[in-house]
Amino acid sequence: MPIEDERCYQQQENPKLLSHFRGRFIIHKGKRPSSNTEQNKARLYQVRQNGHILAQRCVEIGCSSLLLNSGFCYILKVPVVKEDDISYILYVWVGSKSSEDLMNSTIDIGREGFDDVDTVSILYEGTNEPDIFWNALGGRKVYDTNADFMNVIRLFRCSNERGYFSVSEKWADFCQDDLQDEDVMILDSGQDVFVWVGEESSDIERKLGLKSAQLYQQHVQDLTGQSRKLSVVRRGKETLKFIKLFHGWGQFRARLKTSS
């Protein structure tokens, strides 16, 4: 039987690949080998399912308590430096509104996915997390206490690349890299409808993308009786409210330049 060679991009892996990891797919930031400076930093990971259990990933995010959410589970890896020796404490933080399946899966990842850790502690939200936990996250700050958006979130791509304007919905397992610079995107969070504008999108895409978002906003209100706030977001100027809707938000990747 011939071997198939298929290229996958980070956080755009297909279900066939993800199924081999059984929900324990871990994505770290940075490069290998890590520098001493990186080894001395605390690292925070968010575990999240995007639409299906196969689309579960453990992705490193910014190390800040602002990014916590009671609807998810997190893993915090804290270095403990003694003279020239570094050891690590791993905290599994279970959000009070996270599902039992997500909790059990995150605990399994914490115990089996980090082989350089000396101690693994399970913390349940609101049960007197130790100071070392909050200090590693830059102090305790106000964070989101629900992830209801996961039940309704939808992402649409607006494009005229085929010579005509069209709006197509992305699969629930989307990520930051699905925001293409030459397109306009519509993101529904259940409370807000965001129109994301790429720097290289055309005037037609911008005008018709905004009009499509307005029609969508009105359609949802007529259908459900619930209103959503419409906001325009430009690439590179995304708000924290927008960023939190994505799993593992980071810097946009540099675009590859092709020679003419």
Side-chain angles (χ1 to χ4, degrees), residues 2-204:
I3 298 176
E4 296 183 9
D5 185 7
E6 183 176 348
R7 175 178 293 182
C8 294
Y9 293 92
Q10 182 174 311
Q11 282 192 266
Q12 294 176 321
E13 302 85 7
N14 59 43
K16 182 187 292 187
L17 172 64
L18 292 174
S19 66
H20 294 286
F21 293 87
R22 296 177 295 174
R24 301 176 184 178
F25 194 86
I26 304 175
I27 299 177
H28 304 276
K29 283 186 177 181
K31 301 179 180 180
R32 299 181 66 182
S34 300
S35 65
N36 290 334
T37 302
E38 291 297 319
Q39 291 178 352
N40 291 339
K41 290 183 178 179
R43 312 185 79 159
L44 180 65
Y45 299 78
Q46 181 188 40
V47 182
R48 169 171 160 174
Q49 295 176 4
N50 292 328
H52 193 276
I53 190 171
L54 286 180
Q56 177 175 292
R57 300 175 181 83
C58 175
V59 181
E60 184 176 355
I61 62 176
C63 198
S64 170
S65 58
L66 282 172
L67 300 180
L68 296 178
N69 187 308
S70 302
F72 300 113
C73 296
Y74 297 80
I75 293 174
L76 178 65
K77 183 179 178 181
V78 181
V80 179
V81 181
K82 294 182 179 180
E83 297 180 353
D84 294 331
D85 184 46
I86 299 179
S87 60
Y88 296 94
I89 300 175
L90 199 75
Y91 293 103
V92 175
W93 188 83
V94 180
S96 60
K97 296 180 182 178
S98 61
S99 68
E100 185 176 353
D101 286 343
L102 188 64
M103 175 189 70
N104 292 332
S105 181
T106 305
I107 292 174
D108 287 342
I109 294 172
R111 288 174 174 169
E112 301 178 15
F114 297 82
D115 55 8
D116 58 345
V117 171
D118 296 329
T119 305
V120 177
S121 297
I122 314 300
L123 303 178
Y124 297 91
E125 180 184 5
T127 55
N128 297 322
E129 296 92 337
D131 290 340
I132 188 174
F133 175 83
W134 295 116
N135 291 339
L137 293 174
R140 185 167 188 166
K141 302 180 179 68
V142 177
Y143 55 82
D144 292 337
T145 55
N146 73 73
D148 292 343
F149 66 87
M150 292 295 293
N151 298 319
V152 297
I153 193 165
R154 303 175 74 181
L155 180 68
F156 301 87
R157 179 191 181 214
C158 304
S159 176
N160 65 343
E161 66 178 1
R162 298 183 179 179
Y164 58 87
F165 180 79
S166 64
V167 179
S168 57
E169 185 171 3
K170 304 288 289 187
W171 185 42
D173 187 26
F174 61 79
C175 68
Q176 181 182 353
D177 284 344
D178 287 310
L179 303 178
Q180 296 296 313
D181 212 15
E182 60 273 11
D183 292 326
V184 170
M185 311 293 289
I186 298 173
L187 180 63
D188 178 11
S189 72
Q191 293 184 335
D192 299 90
V193 174
F194 297 97
V195 180
W196 182 89
V197 181
E199 290 181 344
E200 298 184 14
S201 59
S202 66
D203 289 339
I204 293 177

Side-chain angles (χ1 to χ4, degrees), residues 203-219:
D203 289 339
I204 293 177
E205 288 171 329
R206 297 182 184 190
K207 292 177 182 178
L208 295 184
L210 179 58
K211 182 62 177 178
S212 298
Q214 292 170 337
L215 292 173
Y216 176 83
Q217 179 190 33
Q218 186 61 52
H219 172 71

Side-chain angles (χ1 to χ4, degrees), residues 213-228:
Q214 292 170 337
L215 292 173
Y216 176 83
Q217 179 190 33
Q218 186 61 52
H219 172 71
V220 171
Q221 185 170 350
D222 293 343
L223 197 64
T224 66
Q226 299 176 348
S227 61
R228 284 161 164 77

